[in-house]
Amino acid sequence: MKKRILKISLVIVLIALIILLAVWIVAVLPKDKGDYRIEDYTEELELFKYDSEKTYDEVHNIYDACWIATNAVSERFPEERFLLFSIEYERWVYHDTESDTWFVYFALSDPDVLGGGYACVIASDGEVIACWGYE
């Protein structure tokens, strides 16, 4: 009887861990938010030009864009401890087909907190054009 209870308990714990892992994965995956227009961000592009010695690979999809943006934000704001796998931020990725650029926005997941997001504009060749944070 004790072995059966132990087996059932282990199965329940394993199922709970799988569910928690699935929820965490869904929480950290970038979300494709569709199109944007780079012209809408001309002021930010001028104010927050990104200067770095780092070079990145080409961007082929929202995951590449999110990876590069996470690295750029971490480099620009090292005091924030910005982590790729943190569930503190939702990752929204937009694409402009005309300019072939990607706009990645990191929005705070907590709806009770105002501000605190980060944004990054990346060319499809991997060049980070601009990177900034909102308070």
Side-chain angles (χ1 to χ4, degrees):
M1 183 70 170
K2 287 184 179 181
K3 283 187 177 183
R4 188 164 193 249
I5 293 173
L6 181 62
K7 286 181 182 179
I8 292 172
S9 299
L10 287 175
V11 168
I12 290 171
V13 168
L14 184 61
I15 290 171
L17 286 174
I18 291 171
I19 291 171
L20 285 172
L21 180 63
V23 168
W24 176 75
I25 288 172
V26 169
V28 300
L29 282 177
K31 288 150 187 72
D32 186 350
K33 292 292 196 169
D35 297 329
Y36 88 106
R37 291 174 20 128
I38 196 167
E39 294 84 21
D40 296 339
Y41 294 93
T42 53
E43 185 177 320
E44 286 87 350
L45 295 176
E46 291 173 13
L47 287 173
F48 304 108
K49 287 183 182 173
Y50 189 79
D51 294 323
S52 176
E53 297 293 320
K54 289 187 179 180
T55 57
Y56 298 100
D57 293 333
E58 289 184 6
V59 180
H60 300 288
N61 52 48
I62 64 172
Y63 306 105
D64 294 342
C66 188
W67 175 259
I68 292 171
T70 300
N71 287 323
V73 168
S74 295
E75 183 180 336
R76 185 106 188 215
F77 302 99
E79 68 280 359
E80 290 297 320
R81 294 190 46 194
F82 197 78
L83 303 173
L84 181 63
F85 301 113
S86 169
I87 60 171
E88 185 178 2
Y89 293 94
E90 292 181 17
R91 294 135 179 91
W92 302 341
V93 183
Y94 303 83
H95 185 250
D96 182 356
T97 53
E98 286 185 32
S99 65
D100 203 18
T101 58
W102 300 80
F103 176 72
V104 181
Y105 183 68
F106 299 93
L108 282 171
S109 299
D110 187 354
D112 295 332
V113 178
L114 299 175
Y118 297 93
C120 204
V121 177
I122 307 162
S124 283
D125 66 0
E127 176 192 359
V128 178
I129 299 169
C131 184
W132 66 93
Y134 296 104
E135 291 188 26

